[in-house]
Amino acid sequence: MKSAIKTVRGRSVPMLLDDIDTDIIIPAQYLTQTSKSGYGQHAFARLRQADPDFVLNQPAYQGAKVLLAGANFGCGSSREHAVWAIQEMGIEAVIAPSFADIFSNNAQKNHLPLITLSAADCQRLAQLPPAQAIEIDLLRCTIAAGDAVMSFAINPFFQHVLTAGIDELDHLLAQQAAIQRFHAQQQRRQYFVRMPRGSA
Amino acid sequence: MSHNIVEKIWQQHVVQRQAGFPDVLAIDFALLHEVTSAQAFAELDRRGLPVHDPKRFLATIDHSIPTREDRHQVHDPQALKQMTALRENCQQHGIALCDVGSQKQGIVHVIGPELGLTQPGMTLVCGDSHTATHGAFGALAFGIGTSTLAHVMATGALLMNPPRVMQVQFNGQLPQGVYAKDMIMHLIAQIGVDGGTGLVLEYTGQAVRDLSMEQRMTLCNMSIECGAVAGLVAPDQTTFEYLQGRPHAPQGAEWDAAVKHWQTLVSDPGCRYDRSVTLDIGQLAPMVSWGTNPEQAIPINQSIPHAARDQADALNYVGMTVEQAVQGVPIDWAFVGSCTNGRIEDLRVVADILRHRVIDPRVTMYVVPGSEAVRQQAIDEGLDRIFQQAGAEFRQPGCSMCLGMNDDRVPVGARCISTTNRNFIGRQGTGSITHLASPATVAHSALAGYITHPISPMAQQEAS
Ligand code: SF4
């Protein structure tokens, strides 16, 4: 069981670049670890190193809990390290006009809320002063920023996973008998091709 | 009721459908490599779970290994730790491993097909985004993250909503010197890096039927570069001929039964697609990427479009300007390899171009076979000597320069023309610049010292 997340409240940091790929989030040279931690310090390393004034380097945005990103965020590799790195930075939710599929799946498994918000509303949030906190309500699918309230879309199962604290592996394990039956039946089917005998 | 191939494979693998939840999808086979598996094994260990059926898994070491001659000596302690972890995990869980030194070692997406493990109608996953490569066989193959891999290892299934399906029809006949690599780069340039999000792409049309299995793998491999869940080609005679006699392909009566089943895995006439796109490739020119994502690509005889002025970051990074021709841009490195273009057919194309010629002395060229089997085959055919005589280095199999995480990296500021799949900033090494292209374009460019291809007007002018 994981703990349920119903709201995320905190300051946001605007990084409205489109097509931020997983190599930018966490470059391959940092992937030779065997654990899930140790990536946060390298997150967005190239962007941060290239420009001392890059938004993630600015003192005003330190401690932000919400990352405001551009379209197609997380495209590229399947590396879950990208999600672990973002979480280790202290980010508790990402808001963007769209997300890449594998990144989205990985975020769901790690209970990192991904909020799909129109580009116009993302722009509005980006205009907020750095000290202004926002509140994401995952049950109502709304974001409150000062007086403004915006609504967003989220995949219903993703929402359920977050707000009910569902562990997907537990959910699958509960159906293991059915899965095993299915594999066994399939193996008996005539066309089924025998799997390797375990010798490489 | 008529169905497309994806719907058919899906229906044959749904274990359970429950309102409010994604489908429970049975996974036939999973491939593992050293970079994305350790944390999945750790999750199983943490929960005290066994691998549900170890013979449905095969592991290899490909991403972090050196490709030099003495590649057993790994100098990076982290990489070594990662490799050791995979060895121990495979041993502990009874999973077959194609270790360095084994005749079956190679890039995960090269060895699966080579061994006959990748078969039509399968569901196949790997903790790697280029898993779509296996779709060339009419398998539903897609990349997953480490947590999902743990789900598959523990249960043999994962949770997923049925994907939408896009038909990508390629019409016409590929011109001489133009390849599947150019077809897929053309598609990505057309629909964009997120044009396939949420979709499985079925590649159809005579141009696809005409492709060899190696070429189909190149085509499917880059499906992820337009954000697609997967890409696939319905199986046909070309598929069956490639598979027959491979170590893990069915034999005898089983083979006949398998082929009979596989022949049903085609999209029915009149079936429904969520989207369709048709591309004519009769006039297609070799494609080259100019920017920092695979959509920023143009035919080699064209200039960077004026509209690219909005992409100033990409232009600055690669040191190019709008309306500049890609052709003629000097290169420092040329790379042939990766799961996109590291197969024997790719090496043959390159060898044909390099034969009796020498690459430009300013260019460093690596030819890295996708697997031990490819390497051996290349040696048997004498291709290794052609590469060496041309001044290129023929190396040991691995992912190599495709991603900057092993010893092979393009130096800071250097420009590389590469048969790989991603030109992301720093992908081939911090500060490196990548131009994606087909093996033929890479070989011609290595000879010239600048980006070129003989079918392009500039090269013709020079020749005359
Ligand atoms: S060759 Fe490149 S794209 Fe293919 S599996 Fe290796 S790193 Fe990934």
Side-chain angles (χ1 to χ4, degrees), chain A residues 62-75:
Chain A
Q62 299 312 304
K65 284 189 183 166
V66 179
L67 180 65
L68 204 51
N72 197 29
F73 186 79
C75 60

Side-chain angles (χ1 to χ4, degrees), chain A residues 35 80 101 167 170 175 193, chain B residues 16 39 47 119 146-147 198:
Chain A
S35 67
E80 201 159 313
D101 286 329
D167 182 290
D170 286 341
Q175 309 189 52
V193 172
Chain B
Q16 196 139 32
Q39 297 88 348
R47 295 182 183 234
Q119 294 169 15
T146 300
S147 295

Side-chain angles (χ1 to χ4, degrees), chain B residues 33 62-63 107-109 128-130 221 225 337-340 398-400 402-403 420-422 427:
Chain B
H33 64 80
D62 53 3
H63 282 63
I107 303 172
V108 66
H109 309 309
D128 192 280
S129 59
H130 293 98
N221 173 276
E225 305 315 334
S338 86
C339 59
T340 313
C399 293
S400 184
C402 176
L403 88 174
T420 51
N421 44 53
R422 285 190 178 139
R427 170 78 179 182

Side-chain angles (χ1 to χ4, degrees), chain B residues 67-82:
Chain B
T67 60
R68 52 185 148 69
E69 210 55 53
D70 59 345
R71 63 183 174 146
H72 289 275
Q73 268 144 36
V74 180
H75 304 312
D76 177 349
Q78 288 291 345
L80 191 62
K81 195 171 154 210
Q82 200 167 53

Side-chain angles (χ1 to χ4, degrees), chain B residues 61-185:
Chain B
I61 296 183
D62 53 3
H63 282 63
S64 53
I65 49 168
T67 60
R68 52 185 148 69
E69 210 55 53
D70 59 345
R71 63 183 174 146
H72 289 275
Q73 268 144 36
V74 180
H75 304 312
D76 177 349
Q78 288 291 345
L80 191 62
K81 195 171 154 210
Q82 200 167 53
M83 291 158 67
T84 310
L86 183 63
R87 289 181 183 127
E88 287 170 4
N89 282 324
C90 286
Q91 177 116 45
Q92 188 193 330
H93 292 276
I95 291 175
L97 169 67
C98 304
D99 205 340
V100 180
S102 139
Q103 288 311 300
K104 295 178 181 172
Q105 183 266 337
I107 303 172
V108 66
H109 309 309
V110 177
I111 63 170
E114 233 167 45
L115 295 170
L117 282 166
T118 308
Q119 294 169 15
M122 264 185 164
T123 50
L124 186 151
V125 295
C126 174
D128 192 280
S129 59
H130 293 98
T131 307
T133 313
H134 307 265
F137 292 79
L140 183 60
F142 50 92
I144 55 175
T146 300
S147 295
T148 313
L149 182 60
H151 298 181
V152 174
M153 283 170 30
T155 68
L158 49 74
L159 291 170
M160 190 167 167
N161 287 311
R164 293 175 300 132
V165 185
M166 172 154 90
Q167 181 188 29
V168 179
Q169 168 118 0
F170 284 104
N171 289 335
Q173 209 183 346
L174 269 183
Q176 183 79 22
V178 185
Y179 297 88
K181 180 64 164 283
D182 304 303
M183 289 165 67
I184 186 68
M185 286 182 67

